[in-house]
Amino acid sequence: MEKISGLSHLFMTVFLHSFSAFMVIPAITDVTMTALCPGEDECSLAIYLTGIQQTIVGLGTLVMMPLIGNVSDTYGRKSMLTVPMTLTIIPLATLAYSRTKNYFYAYYVVRTLIAMLCEGSVQCLALAYVADNIPDNRRASAFGILSGISSCAFVCGNLSTRFLSTSSTFQISASVAAISTVYMRVFLPESSIMDDGVSNWRKVKGEEASVSLLDECEDSRRNFRIFKTMPSFDDTLSLLRSSPTFSQAAIVAFFLSFGDVGVGSSLLYYLKACFHFNKDQFADLMVIGGIAGAISQMLFMPMLAPAIGEEKLLSIGLFFSCALVFLYSTAWSAWVPYAATMLSLLSVFASPCLRSIASKQVGPNEQGKTQGCIAGLCSFASVVSPLIFSPLTALFLSAGAPFHFPGFSIACAGLFLVRTFTQDEMMHVCSLSVAALHI
């Protein structure tokens, strides 16, 4: 636990940043509906604008995530964290000032542009930072704790929103975002990748660096230029082909993100239209899920990962993710979403286990590339998913639906989560094959 406790400043940075981001989620649906369709519980324009934003942001992050991960391998995680954490203050400050229609559109444009550059980059860089400082056999537990910290921030952010006015929510969110940036710059030590490609924890222990999977000659990186750091399509393919297990993990990550984005783009509008949920009910629902996720990731996962292995935990997480989504889609009463959210206790295993498995397939000087590659694939999923699920959601929540099934789009998203099981089994087969070769 000594190594993990050494990440306390990273955990605090992630907590503050996530707290700022999560506390506005319950409020943004009401703000959007009030600005675009005042007095209504169903608004196709809001659904389509949300889907368009997710698609545009996904296109941007598809390009930026591998680049940010690559650059951070050379310039360090702290330097790269400064940019997204600073920029995310701007859209929050916009709605903190006013939430009228004109200011909402200003927020929409600014938030879209900034998210194209920064969405998900803090989590991606934090995972690479953890991989720099934690050995392979304890990385799943560390990733689980990092996800648990985010879940704690999710709970605290949504719980605070429950008792704040909408204006206060955005004002406090912008303030905490600024505080998180200052805290990170002052207290977080740099976790730089050394010139020979060895991360800090390996260098201290005197371990030999792993050979880079993409670059045989590291001397060429000494004359680094940022525009040459953008990984080519061949580089990405080489990384995906470097390990059968990694390629299967990447496919699982794509389908998992595809389904999750589909649910995320539909769920709040679905609950508002069917059960007339508002900011407070959204916050209650998210607090329940966040508490369940935090307990699971911070208490259960560090105990279960060494005992039963990441692969089995991943299967458990994927199964309960599917069950959660199908319960949402078929909710017959307002209490059902609350009960279904308790399945987050087990569904949250999927993402940190997947990231840990991928992290172990590459050398220590490629952790930024690896997390950037996975994040890029997830971004590609977030481009395609809203194009499918936003029109479906708008159609089945409208009076002109072909049949009565308001949760149809969420059920369709669940089918893509079911698809992850096939790839998960293939990944297990690949892992067993690789293990057999080393015997």
Side-chain angles (χ1 to χ4, degrees), residues 72-144:
S72 72
D73 282 340
T74 300
Y75 281 129
R77 317 303 181 197
K78 181 176 179 178
S79 300
M80 295 307 300
L81 278 169
T82 305
V83 178
M85 293 183 69
T86 302
L87 290 177
T88 51
I89 300 170
I90 301 173
L92 295 172
T94 302
L95 287 187
Y97 181 77
S98 178
R99 287 153 306 284
T100 60
K101 187 173 183 177
N102 289 336
Y103 277 94
F104 171 78
Y105 279 118
Y107 159 83
Y108 182 87
V109 172
V110 172
R111 201 270 178 189
T112 301
L113 293 175
I114 291 176
M116 287 176 66
L117 303 175
C118 307
E119 184 86 359
S121 58
V122 172
Q123 186 72 8
C124 173
L125 294 169
L127 288 166
Y129 190 104
V130 170
D132 291 341
N133 293 279
I134 300 295
D136 288 356
N137 60 345
R138 297 167 66 186
R139 201 168 288 167
S141 298
F143 282 0

Side-chain angles (χ1 to χ4, degrees), residues 166 168 226 232 234 260 277 280 294 312 324 352 362 366 381 384 401 412-413:
T166 302
S168 298
I226 189 167
S232 67
D234 289 339
D260 285 344
F277 276 27
D280 293 340
K312 290 183 180 178
L324 171 65
V362 299
E366 292 183 331
V384 181
C412 290

Side-chain angles (χ1 to χ4, degrees), residues 347-425:
S347 67
V348 294
F349 289 149
S351 182
C353 287
L354 193 59
R355 295 287 188 144
S356 178
I357 291 169
S359 174
K360 292 180 180 179
Q361 307 306 311
V362 299
N365 56 331
E366 292 183 331
Q367 293 301 323
K369 289 189 192 73
T370 301
Q371 300 302 334
C373 179
I374 295 294
L377 287 170
C378 294
S379 298
F380 180 61
S382 69
V383 172
V384 181
S385 186
L387 296 177
I388 298 173
F389 294 113
S390 291
L392 270 180
T393 303
L395 175 62
F396 279 87
L397 292 181
S398 69
F403 52 89
H404 182 70
F405 190 177
F408 181 76
S409 61
I410 298 175
C412 290
L415 295 177
F416 284 93
L417 293 177
V418 172
R419 177 67 178 85
T420 60
F421 280 111
T422 305
Q423 295 302 140
D424 182 39
E425 290 304 316

